[in-house]
């Protein structure tokens, strides 16, 4: 699943630099995660780095974008140019 930043976000700006896929950007009122670029850090790290650094715990699984670990790995390979 891609991740989602909810309205508890305080715009602290620690999540965006932590994202290895550049999936996080400033939205109109809070930071947002682009589902097309979010791999939950699969391929990069063991845990999602944005969740690790978020001080208010506002980053959750996005139920609108269910993906298996295999699908996240495929997305990672595509995003990094390593796909066959």
């Amino acid at each position: 699943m891609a991740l989602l930043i909810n309205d508890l976000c305080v715009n602290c700006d620690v999540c965006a630099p932590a994202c290895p896929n550049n999936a996080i950007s400033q939205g109109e009122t809070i930071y947002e995660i682009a589902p097309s670029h979010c791999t939950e850090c699969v391929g990069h790290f063991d845990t999602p780095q944005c969740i690790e650094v978020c001080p208010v715990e506002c980053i959750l699984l996005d139920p609108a974008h269910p993906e298996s670990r295999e699908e996240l790995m495929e997305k990672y390979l595509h995003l990094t140019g390593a796909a066959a």
Side-chain angles (χ1 to χ4, degrees), residues 9-45:
C9 177
V10 295
N11 292 305
C12 67
D13 193 39
V14 297
C15 60
C19 180
N21 295 324
N22 297 314
I24 303 174
S25 62
Q26 178 64 51
E28 195 170 310
T29 57
I30 61 173
Y31 276 83
E32 298 175 347
I33 299 176
S36 62
H37 285 76
C38 179
T39 64
E40 293 183 48
C41 290
V42 168
H44 294 285
F45 300 100

Side-chain angles (χ1 to χ4, degrees), residues 5-78:
I5 298 175
N6 67 30
D7 60 1
L8 296 176
C9 177
V10 295
N11 292 305
C12 67
D13 193 39
V14 297
C15 60
C19 180
N21 295 324
N22 297 314
I24 303 174
S25 62
Q26 178 64 51
E28 195 170 310
T29 57
I30 61 173
Y31 276 83
E32 298 175 347
I33 299 176
S36 62
H37 285 76
C38 179
T39 64
E40 293 183 48
C41 290
V42 168
H44 294 285
F45 300 100
D46 292 333
T47 59
Q49 297 301 288
C50 59
I51 291 175
E52 293 289 323
V53 299
C54 181
V56 294
E57 299 179 6
C58 66
I59 304 172
L60 311 168
L61 291 174
D62 185 352
H65 296 93
E67 296 170 293
S68 68
R69 187 156 182 84
E70 292 77 23
E71 290 170 315
L72 292 169
M73 180 55 85
E74 287 178 32
K75 189 190 304 185
Y76 159 78
L77 293 172
H78 176 74

